[in-house]
Each structure stands twice: as structure tokens, then as C-alpha cells.
DNA sequence: GTGAAAGCGCTAACAT
DNA sequence: ATGTTAGCGCTTTCAC
């Protein structure tokens, strides 16, 4: 490269020279290596401070073969769920001195794999949120991404731990709640067909059906956004159901809004439930009955899993102790990869009640 | 370091050897340098593909003195405003091949400066969202952070551009709207005293007062969260005002919720406005009249400013053309640093109407 | 057009 | 305990 471009900031050698020691010593001091004479260490520190020397991370990264950074790949930075995961990961990682590089695929799932790979090569590991990615592609991608932690996904044949939410259990709780209130005709306003978490809800509902033969349960295809919920009102009304389970709080709120405009009263005429318990859920009118997902905790747990991977403490077991906020966590199989499972909590608010007396 | 640790992934030298060329040539090919014989280039590319060679970013970073990454410092990753800024920056930057490293100070403002510095040293520049940071500290910090782009802040004496939102204008529009509807007693449910954007609203309201001497306008100290809004109801009712301007949509929604519980009808008994136009604003009951802030655009514009800084095209002028979505942008002074100003748009929905006939 | 070699700024053997 | 010296993996002069 250039011959000693003098544009450069103050580097380790400047400190070494000025303090009258070798590069190695400065490096040792800066890294808190105890094997340095306290006197000298003090002098070096003083010199560094005087020169306002701060180690260049890129140089360290190259020399140490690590970046102290992890990548978080999300399909949509505008989605409250992934925002919360990101926040959880970011804060937990920060506590351990790690930073987060974000990779937002903007719902362009064809870019997901590339983005994930790029992120991985710049970081020490990657937390992957890819609810729509095909199982095959994921499996193929996994080895090249290791160390990787999956959120709401699982993969065999690789050492990638997962942090999952038991959406199936959550929706069963919701359905049971409605049935307890007296509803006999239920409808699930479905999420995107390709969504893995939607699949889990569906499976949960199948289980529910089996144990509740007398209950009618329709599945109404729909999406995951506010607008989707708003636009689902026709289908919901046509279904004849009195107990509606929306895919998530967003769609529930959209539905609520649309029903309100039509003069259909919730919960008097119809009960509606959400899923996730996003912050707004308790402030809708009426407040939303939902299955609370401790999604920030999911992010934090994803970091803990990543930390284990990074520390080489690969093993499984009930190592980290997550789930402080009313959620339960179960350690998966004892062998790696570990799976953490968070169970949603039923939160009953004003949007559910007994069905109208007219029966129906 | 270790003597040729054979753990290393396939590197540039592997490709060079296998293709029978020098490192330099491989590097040239990988970087699209045209001065390579097409035949050789093709062979190198084939070899690279065969070996699944991908350049190590850290090595490149060190050699090129840049990381193609920018840092985004936010005070709270849980705040919708900063989430949107982050999203705007991230997506715009991604289009230009840059990535984003996030630095969330978790509202611990004492950490903000340190975090920003850390982020800056790992990146090519930093977008700083620090609404609570003292002006003096910001000024002191600025030089060491350059290139830096400020969001909703400005600083003299440094070449740091700003992307601002004219909160003062927005709140004046809101106030004027209420007055037009017939309200004569207004109240502003204030944001955090230390918030810069709150200051701008306050200043705007002062201007408004001067031009509307007949209007009563009270300022009710409060905060910025949903809960703050919820808890402000007492003060709001006590104020005797009929037209309420909340600090933002979040507090407006909290207030709406609380008023609803008290049986105070909006907008029949009281009009309420928000600020920001977050996605939920149109789905509240009633839908929220607010001043729409194109906050994602703010993030995108912040990236454009950053890109100019990075490209050395330091100058000002109306370079980038932002503000597609109904917002206006004005280029600041012709000299650098440039300031982009986004003006909120009044969005009238169902939460405002004429005051009750009883006068008051 | 291509290669040799000198770094980028730092860390970590290894030797003393 | 400290210094010497190789690198980390890549880019980029500079000479051919």
C-alpha cells in the first residue's frame, strides 16, 4: 500500500515509541494482560490516554480472527416481532461486549440466504429469523452459517440451536378460553401460508379439534398485517363464527377496527383474540385478549445460545435461565443443539366474552 | 501468531495457487478490476467458484481502511420512532452496499457518547440519534465522530449534516386545526423536558400563541410513553381544555384509552391529537388526528447525507431528492453541513371535532 | 497485463 | 516481564 501514509490515526506504535516500550507491551496493557509490570502498565496507560490512543478494531479483528459482532437476520425490520427479537439480542449481546450487525431482507426471501452469508462472514455468528425460508434451503445453508442460532425454526443435522415459541400451545389456550366462555363456532383467521409460526398454530388447532369434537372450527386464509385483518371482516362475518382467533395482534386490531365500522360489537356480538401481546394490545378498544409471547426474552435467549456456541461450551442442558416474565422454558434434548421453548401466556382482556344469547 | 494454522478457510492464496496466478491478480478479479486478461479473469473466477472462495471482509477492511458499514446510535430500540429511522437507514444503506451496526444505549444517556465512539471506530461513519444529549457534550463529541449525520439535532462548528423534522410547524398545524374547529381552550400534554423534539414543539406553540392571542393554551408536563398518556388524564381533565395535543401518538393513545374508561367521549366531549402518525394511529378508536412525520424517509435521507460525506462530496445544496411521501424537504444553507428538514403533514381523522356546545 | 512485495494495525508465539 | 517477529487476509503501489 502507500508508504507510510501519514493520514493515519495514532496507532499502537506511537504509544509504544512514546512510552519507550515494545508494541507487544502496549498490546498487553490494552488487553489487560496481567503479566506486565504495574509501573510500566501505568506509564503505558498514561501515554495512551495522552495520545488519545484507541485500538483499531479492524486490526484486532484480523489478528484475533473474531469481530465481537454477531449478525441478526430478519425478514422485515418493520415487523414488531422481529424488532423485539432484535432488541432482545442486541441488549443481551451488549452486556457481553458484543455488537449487532443487522441484515434486513425486506421480505425478499430470495435475498435471505445471501444476506445471511454476508452477515456471517463479517461476524462471529448469526441469529437467523427466516420464517418463510424453505426447510431444504435452510438445511443447506446451515453449515456455512455456523455458529448460528435459529429463531422459531429448527433444523436437523447441524449444531444450530433454536429458540422457539410454542405457538401451538398458545392457540390452543386461546381456543379453550373461547370454548369455556360458551363459544361453539370458532374461526381462525390464518397467517401467511408460508409462515412457520402459522403452521404451528394450525397444528395446535388440529390437536384442539381432536379433543373438542363438538366445536366447529373454520380456518380462514388471510395474512399477517393490520390491513389483512381489516380486510378479513367479510370472511369472518360469513363464517358464522362467534369466537375469532386472529393470527396475531396486528390482524386482530385490523379486524376489530373493521368490525367496529360495521357496527358489530366486540365482545357482545363477537369475541376476538390476538396473538403476541404487542404493547398496543392492551390499549385497543376493547383491550385485546391474546396469547402473550415474551419475544424480547426470545431474543435474549437467542444471544445466550449464541454465546454458548461462541464459547465452545457447545453442550446442551438447562444452562441459561431465561423466562423470567411469566413464561416457561424447557430445555430440549440434552445433546446439542439445544432448543429453548417459550410458552405463550393467555392474557384475558375485554375482547372476549360469552357469545350472544341467540346461540349462533 | 500460530504457524500457519490449517484451520483457516479457503483464502485468496489458495485460489491464486490453484489458478496459477498471483494474489494480486485474484484480488483484481474479485474486485472487478478491468485490467485483467479476460481469459485469466474467467479462469480465476472459475477457480474461486470451485473452491467456494469468498473474500474475507476483515482482511479487506484492514487493507482498504474502510468497513462498508455505518453505525446507527439510538437511545431506545423499543421506540417506534427510532425503529423507523433505523429501518430507513438500513434499507437505504443496503442499496448502496453498506451495512448497519446498531448501538442501543437503552436510554442510558451516559453511555451514549461511549457507544457512539465505539460504533464509529468499527464503522465508516455514524448516524446519531441522541435527543437527550446535552448540546455541549454533542459539540465536544462531534469531531471524533466525523463523518456523522445527526437526526433531529444540529450542531455548529462541525461538518455534520442534520436531518430534522419541523416539529414546531407540525404542532402549529395541529393547534390551528383545533382552533378552526372552534376550540378556544387548548392543552399540550408535553413530552420529556429533556427531549429536543419536545423543545421544538414548545417553541412552535409559543409562535402560535403570539398569533392567536384569544386562545388559551396550557402546557401539561408529561412523558412520552403510552403509560404517560394514560396517566395524564387527570391533568387533562383538570385543565378544562377541550382541544388536547398529545406529545405523540403513543401518549395520545394512552390518553384516549384513559378517557374512554372515564366515559369522556372523543371527539364529542374532547378532541385529541397525536404526533408522528405511527401505523397504529389510523386504527385507534376513534382514529387519531395527527401530524404525520415521514420518519422512515428521515432515515433514508440520513443515509444519503452519510453517503455524500463518505464520497467526499461534502458540499451542500439540494442534492438528494427525498420527501416523496407528501412531505416537503428544504435544503439548508448552501454551505456544508447541509440540513434536511421534513415537515409533518396534518392528518385529520376522527379524534377531533368541534367542541361541545356547552362552550367551555 | 501481471507479479513481487510492502503494508493496513494489531495479537500472540517464541525467545530472552 | 518484555521484546522480537511472524503473521491475520487482503489491497495496492511499483516494476516488469
Amino acid at each position: 500500500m502507500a508508504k507510510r501514509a501519514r493520514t493515519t490515526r495514532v496507532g499502537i506504535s506511537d504509544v509504544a515509541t512514546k512510552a519507550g516500550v515494545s508494541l507487544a507491551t502496549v498490546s498487553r496493557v490494552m488487553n489487560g494482560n496481567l503479566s506486565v509490570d504495574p509501573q510500566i502498565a501505568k506509564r503505558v496507560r498514561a501515554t495512551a490516554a495522552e495520545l488519545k490512543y484507541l485500538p483499531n478494531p479492524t486490526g484486532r479483528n484480523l489478528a484475533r480472527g473474531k469481530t465481537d459482532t454477531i449478525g441478526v437476520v430478519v425478514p422485515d425490520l418493520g415487523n414488531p416481532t422481529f424488532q423485539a427479537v432484535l432488541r432482545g439480542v442486541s441488549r443481551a449481546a451488549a452486556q457481553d461486549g458484543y455488537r449487532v450487525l443487522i441484515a434486513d431482507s425486506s421480505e425478499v426471501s430470495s435475498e435471505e440466504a445471501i444476506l445471511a452469508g454476508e452477515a456471517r462472514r463479517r461476524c462471529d455468528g448469526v441469529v437467523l429469523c427466516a420464517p418463510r425460508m424453505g426447510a431444504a434451503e435452510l438445511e443447506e445453508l446451515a453449515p456455512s452459517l455456523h455458529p448460528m442460532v435459529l429463531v422459531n425454526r429448527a433444523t436437523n443435522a447441524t449444531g444450530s440451536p433454536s429458540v422457539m415459541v410454542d405457538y401451538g400451545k398458545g392457540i390452543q389456550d386461546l381456543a379453550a378460553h373461547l370454548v369455556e366462555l360458551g363459544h361453539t363456532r370458532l374461526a381462525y383467521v390464518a397467517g401467511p401460508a408460508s409462515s412457520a409460526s402459522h403452521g404451528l398454530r394450525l397444528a395446535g388447532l388440529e390437536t384442539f379439534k381432536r379433543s373438542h369434537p363438538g366445536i366447529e372450527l373454520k380456518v380462514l386464509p388471510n395474512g399477517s398485517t393490520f390491513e389483512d385483518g381489516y380486510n378479513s371482516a367479510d370472511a369472518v362475518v360469513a363464517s358464522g363464527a362467534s369466537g375469532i382467533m386472529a393470527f396475531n395482534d396486528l390482524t386482530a386490531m385490523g379486524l376489530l377496527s373493521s368490525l367496529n365500522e360495521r357496527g358489530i360489537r366486540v365482545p357482545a356480538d363477537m369475541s376476538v383474540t390476538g396473538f403476541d401481546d404487542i404493547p398496543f394490545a392492551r390499549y385497543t378498544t376493547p383491550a385485546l385478549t391474546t396469547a402473550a409471547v415474551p419475544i424480547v426474552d426470545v431474543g435474549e435467549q437467542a444471544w445466550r445460545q449464541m454465546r454458548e456456541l461462541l464459547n465452545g461450551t457447545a453442550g446442551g442442558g438447562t444452562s441459561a435461565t431465561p423466562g423470567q416474565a411469566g413464561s416457561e422454558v424447557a430445555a430440549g434434548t440434552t445433546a446439542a443443539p439445544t432448543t429453548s421453548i417459550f410458552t405463550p401466556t393467555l392474557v384475558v382482556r375485554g375482547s372476549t366474552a360469552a357469545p350472544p344469547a341467540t346461540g349462533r
Side-chain angles (χ1 to χ4, degrees), chain A residues 126-153:
Chain A
V126 33
V127 172
L128 184 66
C129 304
R132 316 281 164 85
M133 185 182 286
E137 186 179 8
L138 177 58
E139 199 116 334
E140 185 191 323
L141 203 59
S144 73
L145 258 31
H146 186 86
M148 162 174 79
V149 173
L150 258 19
V151 172
N152 278 337
R153 290 296 299 261

Side-chain angles (χ1 to χ4, degrees), chain A residues 297 301 304 320-324 327 329 340 342:
Chain A
D297 297 348
Q301 178 63 9
R304 293 200 195 91
T321 317
Q324 37 194 28
S327 74
V329 175
S340 302
F342 286 78

Side-chain angles (χ1 to χ4, degrees), chain A residues 112-134:
Chain A
E112 239 161 23
I114 295 136
L115 266 175
E118 275 226 323
R120 172 60 188 84
R121 292 181 13 257
R122 298 183 167 268
C123 302
D124 300 342
V126 33
V127 172
L128 184 66
C129 304
R132 316 281 164 85
M133 185 182 286

Side-chain angles (χ1 to χ4, degrees), chain A residues 301-326:
Chain A
Q301 178 63 9
W303 164 249
R304 293 200 195 91
Q305 302 259 178
M306 177 58 72
R307 186 180 51 191
E308 303 238 318
L309 247 33
L310 260 17
N311 291 346
T313 317
T318 322
S319 44
T321 317
Q324 37 194 28

Side-chain angles (χ1 to χ4, degrees), chain A residues 86-111:
Chain A
L86 177 64
R87 184 151 34 109
V89 174
S90 169
R91 294 195 174 171
Q95 298 231 300
D96 291 319
Y98 275 73
R99 291 132 209 93
V100 167
L101 187 77
I102 64 181
D104 175 8
S105 65
S106 306
E107 295 279 17
V108 185
S109 58
S110 57
E111 293 290 284

